[in-house]
Every structure is written in C-alpha cells, then in structure tokens.
C-alpha cells in the first residue's frame, strides 16, 4: 500500500497524493523528513495551481516507475516510443499554459516555492521560447503593451544595437 | 488590462533569481530586443555584456609547469557567428537570399571586425563590399555561436606566440560568473585546461593510455566538455574536476580510423560527431573514390553514440577550423537543409571571399561536393545581401517599425 499524504491548498481544498509523487518537491520532502507533515500539509498554492503541479508530478513519476521495471531487451524501442509520448504530453501541457497565462505564472511561482527544479526549468524555457526570435514590436503586440519610449531613449536604444564596421 | 499585458507585468515583477532563470535561456540579441520593448522592460532587464574582444578584464597566465618563471599573459578573444535576416520576407527580384551568416568581432574601440566565417586565419579584403554600419533592430539577428581564441598580451612581443587550434569555454566570463573553465586544443592534439583561479594549466590525460592522446576536436555541450580522439574515441571532461570519462559507441557502418579527421558539432537538439576522410566508396561504385563521411549522434540517455547517417532532420551543420554551429532546418535561403558545410584543405586555396572555399555534404546521398558545384550557395556568407546594403541609410534612425 502506497503511503498517502493530504495536501491542503491555500483555498482549503484537500488533495490526497502518494508520497512518491509528492516527494519530487524538495520542499515537501523536507517537511516529511522533518516530521512536520502530520495530518494535512498546508501549502501557499491555490487549488487550481496545485492541480497542475500534481499533474506534472504524476506524469514524471509514471515515467520513472516504468523505466525501473524494464529489462534491457526492447528497452530502446520502448524508450523511443515513450519519448514521443512524453513530448506529446509536454506539448499539450504547454499549450494549455500558454492559453491561460495566469495559471502559467502561478505555476512558475509554485514550482519555485515547492522546489521542483525540472518543472521550473520547463516553465522558464516555455517563457523564453515565447519571446525568442521576436522583434520588439512583435513582443509588444503579443503582450498588448505600448511603446512608451521618449525620443532620447529611442536614440540610446539604437546606440546599443549598432555595429560600426572597421573602416 | 488584458491577461497578456498582466502576464508581462507579472513577469517583470519576478525576483532577480527567477528572472535570471528565464534570461539565461536567451541569447544577447534576444535580450536586447526585450529591452527595446518598453520603459518597464528596459528598466527591469539588465543590459547583457557586450562580447568585447579581447575580454577587457580577463588576463590568463599561460604556464603548464609550476616552476616556470615568466608565464606568458594571455587574453581571451571572442567573435560571434550571427544569422541575419530581414524582418519581413519579401521577394526581391531574382535574388531569394534571406539569410546572411557573418562572424563578427567587437573590438574595444567600438568598431566591429568581419572575420572569415569558417577559416581561422584567413584575412579577406572584403571591406569595400560592407555597409559602414548596421543596426541590429533593423533585422532578425540570431546568435549561432561564440568563437573563442587566446592571444598573448601585446607587450609580450610577437615571438612568444603559441598556436592553439581551438578554444572552448564552459560559459562566457562575466562579472556574475564565479566558475569558468577554458579548454584549449593545441596544434599537436593535446588538450590543456584552465579553471578561473588556477595557477598552472592542466594536461588532460586518459587513464590506461600510456602515450599522449591525440585529440582532434573539443566542444562544450550540456554542461560538459566533449573531446574526440584520433582513435575514434570520445570522452567527456567535467568542467569542475576535469575528470575524464570514456563514452561507449555502437557503430554499424564503416568508421574511418587513423586517417581523415573528426569533428564535434552541436545542432539545435543534439550533439553530432562527424568523421571525414578520403576513401573508396563501395556504396556508390566499386571503383569510386571520394570524401567519405560518417555521421554519429550522441544518445545521451544511454551514454552512447549511434551512427545515423541520413537523418539530420533538416538541420544544417557547419564545421569550421576553430568553430562549429548549426542552423535549424528550412527557411534559410540559400542554405541546403540536411547538409553539412565543412572546411577542406583541398578547397581552402580556391576562394577569395568567405564561404567560397568549403565543401557541402548532402546527407541524403552521403556525397560531398565543393560549394561551387551548387551555384549561388556561397551567397549565404558573401557578399552581404542587397537588403543589408540598401538598408544602410535607415540604420542611423529608429524608424524600424
């Protein structure tokens, strides 16, 4: 029987989770080890965000368990298929987050607070990819923000971006 | 205020550490674009350091023996390979060139020097074809690779020059950076390493190998150095401990050992190991003779190499004398997807402009030809495309939108 823990979100919703799943969070793992995790574990994370955190953790946990049970034979082919499955799952996860940027941002803070380095790295890459390769005007359009530079500031920016070739 | 603008404001309110986690995944031109978005972006995002060459603060003592009395003082040079594209793709007459790959060195005087893209020592008389200046905000500027080198401090005199084939670093040394490791491949195929704070350089040796190993290429990939030996082995070198680990490989096809040359090159997703030699080509014709190339991909998860040959997934790999880089897939004209561009001693004497003296390997057929066999293909390197030269007048103003 797997050991279960009850996590309590900031809006008082209870999530029953297997120890192995939630121990990916260094913050919670430490709470459990310190014996501070008797009864419900209160977290400063909303239920909506916590649900997403657990979705991520369960997917990661699932992957590790399967690999442990494999023998070497056929492992490579299986891994390739699994890689495709994980990629597909991650793409879907990213698309959902990109569609709801409030959740994306809250999840970013939660991954930092719960000390989930893999999730934090995934989310930072997701945000970086949103702006990478885009011109300032395209970023303004994406975020719906105004160009509020004064002519003097515009000049300073141009200077930062200039290349003068060796005469 | 809508969800998108709220999101951007919340991103700017992140702690410095979290903001840095995002910014470290972006290259300098991308961070400069972010800073050019609005006042709040500009005030929040720090100006990324300019890659001034040689590095203004770093002086590296060069000695490999503790008793050496007067070490040579070395400076770290840096140049950057950029892919420059117009903001809007317009069909411009017959010339479809939409990408210019150029290697630039930003000197402390503020001027920018154009270097040969793939050959280390070639000096080109190219200035008359260049615009006087360029503004990065007028183009899509993608940073493909940073290329490092070491030169003696000028006062040391020219006679104490040392020849290093290639220099790679674990990260670009800036003030925020505490740890930094530099690996240099000498002309004799020896690797020497220097960590920030080291008094002497360390030789990289391989356990169980008596004679000095002869290395052919080095690269920094996924927090480790990789080095390929002339005996077709690849090892990793830990940047902190300098510990050497041998990697397994499983190669089904023919592998040229001893003869030919071996290179390591990063694509956008993977690390590749390319072996190239003159060889009989039985697959083409029993009597055929030509450039044989084997393409091997790192399978990081299983810590081994796998020969892939014809799957580069449209990537284009570039192998230079002191650098290697890649372009991801299609959309870069005139660049042939699924190919490897490489330097070649046989061709090196031919061209007088960057990119005219290299070879192209078509990965589908595994056949290599000089670039002049593909008319127009050298235009990705030279001359600067018409849209760069035409745009010069606007580079002094900011009406880029």
């Amino acid at each position: 029987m797997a050991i279960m823990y009850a996590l309590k979100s900031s809006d008082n919703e209870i999530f029953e989770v297997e120890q192995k799943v939630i121990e990916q969070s260094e913050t919670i793992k430490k709470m459990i080890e310190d014996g501070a995790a008797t009864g419900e574990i209160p977290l400063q994370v909303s239920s909506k965000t916590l649900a997403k955190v657990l979705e991520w953790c369960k997917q990661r946990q699932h992957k590790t368990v399967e690999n442990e049970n494999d023998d070497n034979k056929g492992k490579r082919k299986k891994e390739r298929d699994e890689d495709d499955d994980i990629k597909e799952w991650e793409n879907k996860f990213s698309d959902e987050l990109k569609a709801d940027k409030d959740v994306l941002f809250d999840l970013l803070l939660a991954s930092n607070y719960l000390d989930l380095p893999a999730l934090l790295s995934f989310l930072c890459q997701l945000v970086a990819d949103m702006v990478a390769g885009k011109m300032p005007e395209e970023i303004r359009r994406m975020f719906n923000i105004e160009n509020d530079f004064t002519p003097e500031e515009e000049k300073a920016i141009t200077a930062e971006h200039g290349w003068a070739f060796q005469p | 205020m809508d969800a998108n603008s709220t999101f951007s404001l919340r991103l700017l309110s992140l702690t410095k550490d979290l903001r840095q986690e995002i910014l470290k995944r972006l290259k300098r031109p991308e961070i400069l674009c972010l800073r050019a978005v609005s006042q709040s972006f500009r005030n929040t995002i720090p100006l990324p350091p300019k890659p001034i060459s040689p590095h203004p603060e770093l002086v590296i003592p060069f000695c490999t023996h503790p008793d050496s009395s007067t070490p040579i003082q070395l400076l770290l040079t840096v140049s950057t390979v950029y892919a420059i594209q117009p903001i809007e793709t317009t069909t411009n007459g017959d010339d479809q060139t939409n990408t210019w790959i150029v290697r630039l060195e930003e000197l402390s005087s503020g001027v920018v020097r154009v270097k040969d893209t793939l050959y280390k020592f070639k000096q080109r008389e190219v200035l008359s074809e260049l615009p006087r200046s360029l503004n990065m905000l007028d183009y899509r500027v993608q940073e493909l690779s940073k290329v490092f080198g070491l030169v003696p401090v000028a006062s040391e005199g020219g006679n104490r020059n040392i020849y290093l084939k290639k220099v790679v670093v674990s990260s670009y040394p800036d003030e925020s950076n505490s740890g930094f490791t530099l690996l240099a491949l000498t002309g004799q195929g020896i690797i020497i390493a220097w960590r920030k704070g080291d008094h002497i350089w360390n030789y990289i040796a391989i356990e169980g190998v008596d004679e000095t190993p002869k290395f052919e290429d080095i690269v920094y990939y996924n927090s480790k150095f990789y080095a390929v030996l002339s005996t077709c082995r690849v090892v990793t070198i830990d940047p902190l401990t300098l510990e050497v680990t041998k990697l397994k490989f499983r190669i089904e096809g023919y592998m040229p050992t001893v003869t030919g040359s071996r290179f390591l090159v990063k694509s956008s997703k993977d690390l590749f190991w390319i072996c190239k030699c003159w060889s009989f080509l039985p697959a083409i014709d029993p009597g055929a003779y030509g450039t044989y190339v084997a393409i091997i991909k790192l399978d990081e998860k299983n810590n081994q190499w796998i020969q892939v040959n014809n799957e580069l997934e449209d990537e284009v790999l570039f192998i230079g004398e002191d650098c290697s880089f890649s372009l991801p897939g299609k959309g870069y004209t005139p660049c042939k997807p699924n190919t490897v561009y490489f330097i070649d001693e046989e061709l090196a004497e031919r061209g007088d402009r960057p990119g005219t003296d290299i070879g192209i390997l078509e990965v589908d057929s595994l056949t290599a030809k000089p670039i002049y066999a593909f008319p127009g293909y050298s235009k990705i390197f030279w001359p600067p495309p018409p849209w760069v030269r035409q745009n010069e007048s606007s580079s002094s103003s900011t009406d880029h939108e």
Side-chain angles (χ1 to χ4, degrees):
Chain A
M1 235 328 249
I3 305 167
M4 303 295 281
Y5 279 88
L7 306 180
K8 193 165 128 188
S9 68
S10 57
D11 48 349
N12 297 323
E13 206 174 304
I14 303 291
F15 292 81
E16 291 275 341
V17 194
E18 262 185 61
Q19 179 174 359
K20 273 196 163 167
V21 170
I22 200 57
E23 265 189 356
Q24 290 175 58
S25 156
E26 289 295 327
T27 309
I28 296 180
K29 192 178 174 188
K30 207 162 176 299
M31 286 163 96
I32 294 172
E33 281 169 2
D34 293 350
T38 49
E40 290 159 2
I41 304 175
L43 297 173
Q44 292 307 311
V45 179
S46 75
S47 55
K48 197 176 173 186
T49 313
L50 191 54
K52 275 277 171 219
V53 169
L54 295 176
E55 206 182 302
W56 168 272
C57 290
K58 278 175 190 159
Q59 159 72 15
R60 302 282 292 190
Q61 175 60 22
H62 181 63
K63 181 181 133 193
T64 339
V65 170
E66 272 195 3
N67 281 354
E68 275 170 11
N69 294 343
D70 271 343
D71 56 355
N72 265 336
K73 205 178 159 194
K75 190 173 170 186
R76 273 175 49 76
K77 194 199 164 317
K78 198 167 171 203
E79 269 181 10
R80 228 179 349 238
D81 295 345
E82 270 170 25
D83 283 350
D84 290 345
D85 289 350
I86 293 166
K87 208 166 266 172
E88 200 179 305
W89 185 90
E90 284 182 350
N91 285 343
K92 196 173 147 266
F93 193 68
S94 312
D95 288 346
E96 285 167 16
L97 294 176
K98 277 190 267 189
D100 192 341
K101 296 205 176 64
D102 284 339
V103 176
L104 168 55
F105 190 83
D106 290 339
L107 197 54
L108 185 68
L109 293 185
S111 67
N112 187 44
Y113 160 65
L114 293 172
D115 200 355
L116 286 159
L119 179 58
L120 181 65
S121 153
F122 176 83
L123 296 171
C124 288
Q125 191 61 52
L126 184 65
V127 175
D129 289 346
M130 285 165 74
V131 295
K134 289 201 169 65
M135 301 304 294
E137 184 50 34
E138 292 164 337
I139 301 171
R140 281 180 209 128
R141 270 204 298 271
M142 179 172 69
F143 289 140
N144 194 19
I145 36 188
E146 295 275 312
N147 177 357
D148 55 1
F149 289 124
T150 63
E152 288 76 35
E153 285 168 329
E154 290 270 9
K155 239 184 197 160
I157 292 165
T158 308
E160 274 166 22
H161 289 73
W163 282 325
F165 291 109
Q166 194 176 39
Chain B
M1 198 175 280
D2 72 350
N4 286 328
S5 52
T6 312
F7 179 65
S8 73
L9 286 180
R10 292 181 79 191
L11 281 180
L12 294 176
S13 73
L14 285 173
T15 60
K16 195 180 162 207
D17 286 353
L18 277 177
R19 193 175 59 216
Q20 201 47 41
E21 272 302 307
I22 296 170
L23 290 177
K24 78 176 189 194
R25 289 170 164 80
L26 295 168
K27 299 278 179 62
R28 182 169 173 268
E30 294 166 334
I31 297 175
L32 287 177
C33 275
L34 273 179
R35 280 174 49 89
V37 166
S38 72
Q39 286 193 357
S40 47
F41 273 70
R42 188 172 164 79
N43 295 336
T44 313
I45 298 166
L47 183 65
K50 215 178 196 185
I52 298 288
S53 182
H55 193 282
E57 279 125 45
L58 201 65
V59 180
I60 303 167
F62 184 72
C63 63
T64 49
H65 195 273
D67 299 333
S68 176
S69 53
T70 50
I72 309 177
Q73 305 282 312
L74 296 177
L75 300 173
L76 185 72
T77 62
V78 53
S79 53
T80 312
V81 182
Y82 295 102
I84 298 176
Q85 298 189 288
I87 296 177
E88 305 293 345
T89 318
T90 48
T91 39
N92 187 0
D94 297 332
D95 196 346
Q96 301 295 313
T97 306
N98 78 357
T99 308
W100 181 33
I101 298 178
V102 66
R103 177 163 155 191
L104 302 177
E105 183 180 16
E106 303 198 30
L107 306 177
S108 56
S109 60
V111 297
V112 174
R113 184 193 283 162
V114 177
K115 311 260 293 180
D116 189 86
T117 325
L118 295 176
Y119 287 98
K120 188 173 178 179
F121 290 115
K122 281 202 174 178
Q123 295 291 332
R124 311 281 195 172
E125 293 299 323
V126 293
L127 294 166
S128 58
E129 291 159 285
L130 272 177
R132 275 193 310 274
S133 63
L134 266 191
N135 189 316
M136 287 165 86
L137 283 175
D138 291 338
Y139 308 93
R140 284 183 203 280
V141 179
Q142 211 180 318
E143 183 181 313
L144 301 183
S145 177
K146 278 208 158 53
V147 189
F148 296 93
L150 289 166
V151 292
V153 173
S155 60
E156 299 275 339
N159 57 344
R160 294 192 74 183
N161 226 332
I162 48 163
Y163 174 66
L164 298 172
K165 204 172 147 191
K166 194 173 183 180
V167 174
V168 289
V169 300
S170 60
S171 58
Y172 183 70
D174 58 35
E175 63 270 21
S176 69
N177 225 310
S178 43
F180 153 69
T181 305
L182 190 154
L183 241 61
L185 177 63
T186 71
Q188 295 81 37
I190 296 165
I191 296 178
I192 45 178
W194 182 79
R195 287 162 296 188
K196 198 174 174 183
D198 278 354
H199 294 295
I200 60 162
W201 288 58
N202 294 277
Y203 285 102
I204 299 298
I206 299 179
E207 212 176 300
V209 177
D210 289 338
E211 74 266 43
T212 319
K214 190 177 183 307
F215 291 98
E216 296 202 356
D217 200 5
I218 44 177
V219 79
Y220 186 72
Y221 174 78
N222 272 3
S223 310
K224 270 182 282 195
F225 292 105
Y226 285 77
V228 61
L229 289 138
S230 58
T231 51
C232 272
R233 264 213 165 275
V234 176
V235 297
T236 61
I237 300 160
D238 184 280
L240 293 175
T241 61
L242 303 181
E243 191 188 337
V244 177
T245 310
K246 291 178 198 166
L247 290 182
K248 296 182 284 184
F249 63 89
R250 207 170 54 91
I251 288 159
E252 282 126 15
Y254 165 64
M255 270 292 281
T257 51
V258 189
T259 61
S261 31
R262 282 143 283 270
F263 306 96
L264 295 168
V265 52
K266 292 180 265 193
S267 78
S268 58
K269 299 187 286 284
D270 296 295
L271 180 65
F272 287 94
W273 165 20
I274 314 267
C275 295
K276 181 168 82 72
C277 70
W278 279 92
S279 168
F280 286 110
L281 299 171
I284 295 173
D285 177 29
Y289 199 70
T291 305
Y292 176 84
V293 179
I295 300 172
I296 302 132
K297 188 167 94 170
L298 176 67
D299 171 9
E300 223 182 349
K301 198 147 108 209
N302 296 304
N303 212 23
Q304 65 175 359
W305 295 87
I306 304 163
Q307 190 155 0
V308 292
N309 288 344
N310 29 28
E311 30 168 316
L312 276 188
E313 292 170 12
D314 286 344
E315 295 257 353
V316 187
L317 309 181
F318 296 84
I319 296 169
E321 219 174 344
D322 58 345
C323 65
S324 64
F325 52 91
S326 69
L327 273 181
K330 294 167 181 160
Y332 301 89
T333 316
C335 203
K336 213 171 167 50
N338 220 26
T339 53
V340 182
Y341 286 53
F342 58 89
I343 47 156
D344 191 291
E345 281 170 23
E346 302 281 318
L347 298 168
E349 300 304 316
R350 294 191 72 105
D352 58 349
R353 290 289 182 267
T356 51
D357 42 11
I358 57 175
I360 297 182
L361 169 82
E362 292 180 286
V363 172
D364 304 331
S365 58
L366 280 179
T367 47
K369 290 180 198 149
I371 195 166
Y372 55 75
F374 304 90
Y377 273 73
S378 63
K379 278 190 183 174
I380 199 152
F381 300 106
W382 208 263
W387 40 265
V388 164
R389 281 172 286 169
Q390 280 159 11
N391 229 0
E392 193 188 358
S393 55
S394 78
S395 62
S396 56
S397 68
T398 53
D399 55 352
H400 51 268
E401 289 155 20

